Amino acid sequence: MDRWIKKDLKYNWHPYTQMKDSRKDPPILIERAKGIKLYDNRGKYYYDTISSWWCNVHGHNHPKIKKAIKKQLDSLEHVLFAGFTHKPAIQLAEQLVRIAPGNLSKVFFTDNGSCAVETALKMSFQYWQNLGEKKKTKFISLSHGYHGDTIGSMSISGVDLFNEVFKPLFFKSFKAPSPYCYRCPMGKRRAKCNIECIEPLDDLLKKREHEIAALILEPLIMAAGGMIIYPKEYLKKAAALTKKYNVHLILDEVATGFGRTGKMFASEHARVKPDFMCVSKGITSGYLPLGATLTTREVFQAFWADYEKKKTFYHGHTYTANPLACSTALASLSLFYEENTLRKVVKLIPVFRERLSLFRQLPIVGDVRSIGLVGAMELVKDRRTKVPYGFKDRMGQQIYREGLKNGLLMRPIGSVIYFYLPLCIKENQINFILQRAFNVIKKIGSKALCCR
Ligand SMILES: *Cc1c(COP(=O)(O)O)cnc(C)c1O
């Protein structure tokens, strides 16, 4: 084993990793990256088909982003954001408000997605407290939703595999069934349905509106919950319900923001107006950590009071609005215009969708779904009964290993295989990656079928 890897395993504890497995399948030492390729210490490269955990947008090693970071480094690396401010944060907040949907007009910076969500939850909670609505203290989320790894954000997440052991620590929240078309909670088929899956949410709100502070959801893609892509009609109806029952709508755009769905923000597809929007991941194109929670003037006003009234938002992180990260985000936003990123993406979407549909030929592929440059497929033991591969089958892991052998970084979620492509990708690269992935899944699939 390489001496660096030995040392890595001696000192590092990696996220979402059973470290015992790492002795057999050690981590890969990446030395450099360019565009959509990652190069390891042996010169082998891997296509970054998941944008390095859904954050890379314009490709690795982009000269303009690097230049912006270097320039900022020459003047100011960091300063506290209470009582002080700086131009990168001012410009970035202005830009975010300009591109944000609806009435979002105030920006609260954090340094990661979980904390952007925590911020929204705490703001919504305190908003109702500040208004004297003392009973509005609970949240509703979707059963397959994922909102982060802090205890607060886990309390409203629904991924059992991650949550199970921590459940005793969570605050109480309510879950509504997910609009999971392939496994419809109402037993319907999408072609004939009328978004009946909204009814349980309606019932829940009707019964509990006086104790609900907010509904939180990921717009159009429940990402970590299994890349479940749902109809924009559901989002529209859910947003309308929050207005009807006077609860906040928090949109978690941490994964979907910054062009992933073909629009800057996923909520634009449904034209909904959230009270809060959480962003992170793609905000800096994956170069530096940054998060932000956007909200409305109305929410902001509820905290505006004489100091003695104790309506202040007592929350913040040391690296809030880090100037290097803000400058990076500004450079990334500029690139959207300079490189016409979204227009290019819109042209690539049909190519991607058509290529992806070919995976339906494979007998273990039960469902294929996509939006923008995000696409997923669900592997099943039997297409008719839709019985999924189990935890112990480790289908995802097998495909991950086989993908690496073939120069692809894919990182399935259980038996959901997905692509979360960097937006700078070219048409020929899409074709190449999907062709290789097809062969990988075909190989692992036929092994699974023959050995049943
Ligand atoms: C990744 C993710 C988060 C958490 O972001 P971190 O930066 O990993 O803390 C929150 N919400 C959604 C939808 C995400 O995909």
Side-chain angles (χ1 to χ4, degrees), residues 1 5 9 17-28 394 397-398 400-401 404:
M1 195 183 278
I5 300 299
L9 293 179
T17 303
Q18 173 46 260
M19 292 305 292
K20 189 179 176 193
D21 287 352
S22 310
R23 283 193 308 202
K24 194 159 76 52
D25 294 322
I28 294 164
R394 304 202 76 181
Q397 176 71 4
Q398 292 182 54
Y400 172 68
R401 303 303 318 169
L404 287 176

Side-chain angles (χ1 to χ4, degrees), residues 16 53-54 111-117 145-150 153 157 217-219 221-224 252-256 278 280-281 290 420:
Y16 282 101
W53 257 352
W54 325 342
D111 46 27
N112 64 71
S114 307
C115 288
V117 169
Y146 172 84
H147 301 287
D149 279 1
T150 55
S153 58
S157 292
L217 36 80
E218 295 158 277
I221 309 177
M222 284 179 276
D252 180 352
E253 291 251 14
V254 169
T256 50
C278 309
S280 185
K281 292 200 168 105
L290 183 69
Y420 217 96

Side-chain angles (χ1 to χ4, degrees), residues 121-272:
L121 298 177
K122 285 176 71 174
M123 274 183 181
S124 173
F125 184 97
Q126 192 180 338
Y127 169 90
W128 297 112
Q129 296 299 306
N130 283 0
L131 252 55
E133 298 251 17
K134 301 287 182 196
K135 286 196 183 133
K136 283 172 94 71
T137 57
K138 303 266 190 321
F139 298 93
I140 302 178
S141 56
L142 297 181
S143 57
H144 290 80
Y146 172 84
H147 301 287
D149 279 1
T150 55
I151 292 174
S153 58
M154 288 185 90
S155 298
I156 46 142
S157 292
V159 183
D160 281 341
L161 179 62
F162 307 161
N163 278 7
E164 193 61 41
V165 64
F166 300 110
K167 271 188 181 154
L169 297 177
F170 298 166
F171 57 72
K172 188 174 158 54
S173 75
F174 299 101
K175 297 276 185 309
S178 302
Y180 189 174
C181 299
Y182 180 58
R183 301 179 188 281
C184 175
M186 316 301 280
K188 300 267 174 182
R189 303 191 59 165
R190 177 64 191 119
K192 290 195 188 144
C193 92
N194 197 19
I195 317 288
E196 283 83 354
C197 55
I198 201 75
E199 289 162 15
L201 177 63
D202 196 344
D203 294 343
L204 189 55
L205 281 163
K206 200 178 292 165
K207 211 165 101 198
R208 303 202 179 259
E209 60 178 306
H210 301 297
E211 44 177 317
I212 302 298
L215 166 71
I216 179 166
L217 36 80
E218 295 158 277
L220 304 192
I221 309 177
M222 284 179 276
M227 292 295 160
I228 297 162
I229 295 168
Y230 66 85
K232 60 176 189 253
E233 289 77 12
Y234 180 91
L235 182 56
K236 268 188 201 160
K237 284 178 193 276
L241 289 176
T242 59
K243 296 281 172 292
K244 179 174 168 194
Y245 293 109
N246 193 30
V247 307
H248 285 142
L249 174 63
I250 305 174
L251 292 184
D252 180 352
E253 291 251 14
V254 169
T256 50
F258 304 99
R260 298 296 175 189
T261 64
K263 294 197 187 282
M264 195 52 120
F265 298 104
S267 66
E268 291 171 34
H269 291 277
R271 296 172 192 235
V272 298

Side-chain angles (χ1 to χ4, degrees), residues 332-351:
S332 174
L333 283 180
S334 299
L335 282 177
F336 271 96
Y337 303 103
E338 289 168 31
E339 296 188 346
N340 264 320
T341 306
L342 289 181
R343 209 177 315 151
K344 283 187 197 158
V345 165
V346 166
K347 280 197 192 138
L348 291 175
I349 292 170
V351 176

